[in-house]
Structure formats: C-alpha cells, structure tokens
Amino acid sequence: MKLAERIGLVPPSLTLSITAKGKAMRAEGINVSAFSAGEPDFDTPAHIVAAAQQALAEGKTRYGAATGEPVLRQAIAEKLRTENGLAYETENIAVTNGGKQSLYNLIMATIEAGDEVIIPTPYWVSYPEMVRLAGGTPIFLQADPANQYKVTPEQLKAAITPQTKLFVLNSPSNPTGTVYTPAEIRALAEIIVDAGIYVVSDEIYEKILYDGAEHLSIGAIGPEIFERTITSNGFAKAFAMTGWRVGYLAAPTEIIKAVSTIQGHSTSNVCTFAQYGALAALQSPESAGCIATMLDAFTKRRRYICDRVAQIPALSAFEPQGAFYLYINIAKTGLTSLDFCSQLLDQHYVAAIPGIAFGTDDCIRLSYATDIQSIELGMGRLEKFIDQL
Ligand code: PLP
C-alpha cells in the first residue's frame, strides 16, 4: 500500500536503534548501564496508586468527556492559578495522553502549511516532527552553549518573519537542563508580545530544579503575554507517572475547543481511573514529600555525575539547573554522536542518546534518573571507553 506523503516528512527516530539494542542486550543478560531513559526510576508514590485503585473499585471505568474529568480539569486550573500565577479556568484545560499529546494536539489545531514554528536547538526530539506532521516549517534557533544553551531575545527577534506563528519554550529543558531566569523569560515575552506571535511553554520539568534555580511560567508575566501563551505540562516527570499517560494543555478557550474536537475524533478521554491518580497527585498533602525525596536523589546524582565528567579531559558539560539530563560535549573525541553512542554501547554496555537526535552532533545526553550504583558503574565504563579511543 502506498503510504501517505506526510510519513515521509518525518525520519524514523535516531534514538530508537540504540534504545532497542540496549534492551535486546539486557534481555541477553548483559548488565547495560542505562543512561538513555527520560523517566524517573522511582515507583509512582503509593497514595497516587491507591487513589487509582479506589477509582477502579468504584467503577470509574467508563468513557468520560474527551478533555478530561471535570474534577481533574478544575484541580489543574487551581494548581496553575496558585502555583504558577496563571489565570486559567476549568474551561481552559484539556487533559491529554501525556504532555506529548497536549503538544501534538496543540500543533495539529493551530499549525498548517506556510506557518513557521521557532524551536531553540538543542530541542526535545518531538517538537520539529510534530510541526512537520502538521505541514508547518520548524525554524531552528541555535542556542549558544556559552550562554548555557539559552536563546537570547535578539536571536528570537531576528528569527521572526510574517509566517511565524509559534515559539517553543522549554524551561527546564530536555536535553540540556538549562533554566531561563525570570528576567530572561520577561525579555522573551516582550519580543513575543511585540511581534504578535504565540508561545507554547512546555513546563514538564518545572519541579526538578537545583541550586536555587527559579521557574517562572511565561504566561504569568502579564495579561498581554498570557493571551499569547499556551501552557503544556504533565504528571510523568514530577510524580514518576510516565506510564500513566496523563498530561494537560492550558490555553485560550477556542484552542481547547479545537483540541477537544481532535481528541474527540482520535483518542477520546485519557484512561478514566488514571485521571483519579493524577487528581490525588495534585491534591494529596503527601505529594510534596514524595517530590522532595526524588529531588534530593536527583540532586546527589547530578553532583556525582557532573564531578565524574569534569575529571575526563576529552569531555565537557554544562552543569544543568533543572531536569535530569547531562548534555556532554564530545567534540574532542572526533566522533559523531551516533558513532560515539554505538561504540559505547557495543564495547562498554553503556546506553546514551546521541546529540544528533536533539539537533547537535557534538554532544551526547546522559540521563541521571537512575540509581547511584548504576551511575558509578556506567561512569567507570565511560572513562574506560574514552581512555581507549
Ligand atoms: N516535553 C518534554 C521536554 C519531554 O522531555 C517529554 C518527555 O520526555 C514530554 C514533553 C512528554 O512527556 P509525557 O508525554 O510523558 O507526559
């Protein structure tokens, strides 16, 4: 059967082969050091699991509204108002199948042929592909490593054309862990408002911050930018709920209505009882302690992995202020990121993601959302690999 043209626009995931290979090696009994996964290694907190179990026992097992259970939409709006200073109401919220679907449905609802979407590089792998699938054009803005991988207001201004519709802001960032300061966010907001474009703020790592770094939701700056902001978030990273598939989009009502139509004809509602787990994540007083425990572990691992990488002269890394990734420059090794990661996995059983997947071939990404013993073992193997080059 002839496939649709749109599928040719999107390359198969570069990271897939490495991830699949790592899994196959593990199935053969090899102790692979897995630095590739973008998910917390913690179990979902027990009170969240219990809430979903209770929902199941109560028969919350039926179809629901496409954009989510009203009680959860209301709780999300409340969270965004009180924690983020964003003036959303229940009607401004769509519960989605993870942060990924919230971004995908937003792009499908708003981007078409002729539209440009500005994406800072390095970027999360799916942003450009979502734009391409919608028929739009991704415009890449290279963020300077010397500026902690942040794009400047001048860079953003220079990239805006009459075709620009949307700017993608991801702070804290995957893959670099960079966090824009409140002053930097304000400066970007000014450009966005002046140009009359929109911004989607992907805030999925907002809870994972280090060294006193501060998260500011761009939509909270003032009414003008709020009208031009779409906020995306989810439960996966903050609450160790990657497999639950619960995220959300917060946006002006007409966008939520459009997203509701798309969801109504595609996936319908997110698993009903999973939404009650998410509700407990937001409302239970136990959640804060669980987040603090995970953050404490991430903080220790981050210190350890940064110190180890700093001792390897061929590598250099920007010290992340958020998320749980280390973006390491490998240029001195002379290898492409794909060759580096393939050899590292084949010869030393360490799974890392090549930077080319995020738009920069001189880097690799290590996730430190894994226990400290595994990090120790993996870093020893990485050192050995570098020594043998
Ligand atoms: N945005 C970023 C930057 C991410 O790293 C991820 C997951 O890796 C997502 C969104 C989507 O997360 P999920 O669909 O699991 O909620």
Side-chain angles (χ1 to χ4, degrees):
M1 188 183 196
K2 181 187 172 296
L3 297 178
E5 263 175 42
R6 89 176 66 84
I7 206 66
L9 301 171
V10 180
S13 169
L14 266 177
T15 60
L16 217 67
S17 57
I18 290 228
T19 310
K21 203 166 177 183
K23 276 190 184 152
M25 286 165 77
R26 202 166 305 140
E28 284 168 27
I30 298 171
N31 179 7
V32 174
S33 300
F35 289 115
S36 50
E39 64 177 336
D41 55 319
F42 300 99
D43 291 331
T44 303
H47 67 281
I48 298 174
V49 174
Q53 283 169 334
Q54 193 186 330
L56 261 176
E58 287 171 358
K60 295 198 168 84
T61 54
R62 297 180 184 274
Y63 287 139
T67 46
E69 294 289 287
V71 65
L72 179 59
R73 293 175 72 195
Q74 204 176 341
I76 291 167
E78 172 76 14
K79 175 255 185 260
L80 292 172
R81 280 197 301 270
T82 55
E83 281 185 18
N84 302 82
L86 297 164
Y88 292 117
E89 301 295 334
T90 304
E91 71 207 35
N92 299 117
I93 309 298
V95 179
T96 56
N97 198 56
K100 191 172 262 184
Q101 194 193 26
S102 98
L103 293 160
Y104 183 79
N105 285 355
L106 166 71
I107 304 267
M108 283 297 153
T110 58
I111 300 302
E112 60 194 349
D115 291 337
E116 293 179 354
V117 179
I118 298 178
I119 301 173
T121 304
Y123 46 76
W124 179 52
V125 284
S126 295
Y127 299 140
E129 312 313 354
M130 287 175 180
V131 171
R132 288 188 181 110
L133 281 171
T137 308
I139 303 294
F140 299 106
L141 260 194
Q142 181 62 54
D144 187 355
N147 191 36
Q148 302 184 338
Y149 288 109
K150 297 176 198 179
V151 294
T152 62
E154 294 75 25
Q155 271 184 296
L156 176 60
K157 192 173 178 181
I160 293 172
T161 74
Q163 284 70 49
T164 307
K165 200 155 189 185
L166 191 63
F167 170 61
V168 180
L169 179 64
N170 175 216
S171 176
S173 145
N174 175 9
T176 65
T178 203
V179 178
Y180 286 74
T181 65
E184 288 163 343
I185 299 267
R186 284 195 186 89
L188 291 174
E190 215 168 284
I191 305 291
I192 291 159
V193 169
D194 283 353
I197 63 168
Y198 288 80
V199 57
V200 55
S201 183
D202 180 351
E203 305 189 357
I204 199 142
Y205 295 100
E206 65 165 338
K207 301 278 184 205
I208 306 172
L209 296 165
Y210 311 104
D211 290 347
E214 220 183 298
H215 170 74
L216 174 65
S217 294
I218 190 165
I221 290 170
E224 283 182 312
I225 185 70
F226 181 66
E227 281 172 18
R228 310 206 144 269
T229 299
I230 298 102
T231 308
S232 178
N233 206 330
F235 294 84
K237 317 288 178 175
F239 300 98
M241 291 173 68
T242 45
W244 291 63
R245 311 309 302 134
V246 194
Y248 52 92
L249 189 73
T253 321
E254 68 273 16
I255 293 180
I256 296 300
K257 278 190 186 151
V259 163
S260 173
T261 302
I262 292 173
Q263 266 180 232
H265 288 298
S266 52
T267 56
S268 294
N269 63 285
V270 169
C271 170
T272 306
F273 48 87
Q275 292 188 56
Y276 285 89
L279 185 65
L282 287 184
Q283 294 187 331
S284 167
E286 288 174 65
S287 294
C290 299
I291 293 174
T293 303
M294 290 189 262
L295 189 57
D296 187 49
F298 290 142
T299 304
K300 290 186 179 119
R301 297 163 182 184
R302 166 182 169 273
R303 185 70 276 128
Y304 178 81
I305 200 166
C306 285
D307 289 348
R308 286 291 297 263
V309 169
Q311 287 161 20
I312 307 176
L315 304 180
S316 61
F318 152 73
E319 197 155 297
Q321 276 116 42
F324 37 64
Y325 308 105
L326 194 61
Y327 208 54
I328 302 175
N329 188 294
I330 56 156
K332 282 189 191 153
T333 67
L335 293 172
T336 66
S337 61
L338 206 52
D339 285 345
F340 188 101
C341 290
S342 299
Q343 291 178 26
L344 185 61
L345 182 59
D346 287 344
Q347 299 164 15
H348 296 272
Y349 311 140
V350 176
I353 303 290
I356 189 74
F358 311 103
T360 55
D361 201 20
D362 57 356
C363 290
I364 61 161
R365 190 195 76 178
L366 297 189
S367 160
Y368 50 90
T370 183
D371 66 277
I372 199 89
Q373 289 78 16
S374 305
I375 296 175
E376 279 172 21
L377 175 67
M379 290 312 293
R381 289 171 167 178
L382 176 64
E383 267 170 11
K384 211 178 255 174
F385 171 62
I386 299 281
D387 283 349
Q388 288 171 3
L389 281 177

